[in-house]
């Protein structure tokens, strides 16, 4: 994971990573044969997005911080949902 020097670059990387994680979540199909592989990839995408958000928080403007917190909350909701399904 590259360190992003500007606020905008860091924010955009966090935004992109969050959207990719959401896409993987939206396409997750529990009854499919490769569910385990899909779930593993989703976890990887979510972890990457959390890392990008943390990176962006270090340099973010106040407005960006609010959006990054929303991204973090969205990702946490995905984690909570997946954990509930696996229980």
């Amino acid at each position: 994971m590259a360190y992003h020097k500007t606020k905008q670059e860091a924010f955009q990387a966090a935004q992109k990573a969050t959207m990719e994680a959401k896409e993987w979540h939206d396409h997750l199909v529990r009854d499919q044969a490769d569910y385990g592989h899909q779930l593993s990839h989703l976890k990887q995408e979510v972890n990457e997005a959390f890392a990008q958000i943390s990176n962006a928080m270090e340099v973010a403007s106040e407005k960006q911080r609010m959006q990054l917190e929303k991204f973090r909350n969205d990702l946490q909701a995905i984690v909570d949902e997946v954990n509930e399904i696996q229980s």
Side-chain angles (χ1 to χ4, degrees):
M1 176 178 64
Y3 181 79
H4 299 283
K5 293 181 181 178
T6 70
K7 293 177 186 181
Q8 192 61 29
E9 287 174 335
F11 179 82
Q12 287 174 343
Q15 183 178 38
K16 182 176 185 259
T18 301
M19 294 306 123
E20 288 173 0
K22 285 181 177 182
E23 255 185 60
W24 271 95
H25 176 253
D26 290 346
H27 293 96
L28 189 65
V29 181
R30 284 190 346 186
D31 297 336
Q32 234 172 341
D34 67 343
Y35 174 74
H37 175 73
Q38 290 179 21
L39 187 59
S40 176
H41 195 88
L42 172 61
K43 288 178 180 179
Q44 184 178 343
E45 293 290 335
V46 167
N47 287 335
E48 175 68 18
F50 275 129
Q52 292 289 357
I53 290 168
S54 292
N55 179 39
M57 284 293 234
E58 293 179 17
V59 294
S61 68
E62 205 51 45
K63 183 177 179 183
Q64 288 172 332
R65 283 182 189 278
M66 291 171 47
Q67 188 62 45
L68 290 167
E69 281 299 331
K70 182 181 180 328
F71 294 161
R72 187 178 279 158
N73 291 338
D74 291 348
L75 291 172
Q76 189 59 52
I78 290 171
V79 169
D80 293 345
E81 181 184 320
V82 168
N83 286 341
E84 187 175 310
I85 290 169
Q86 289 184 316
S87 300

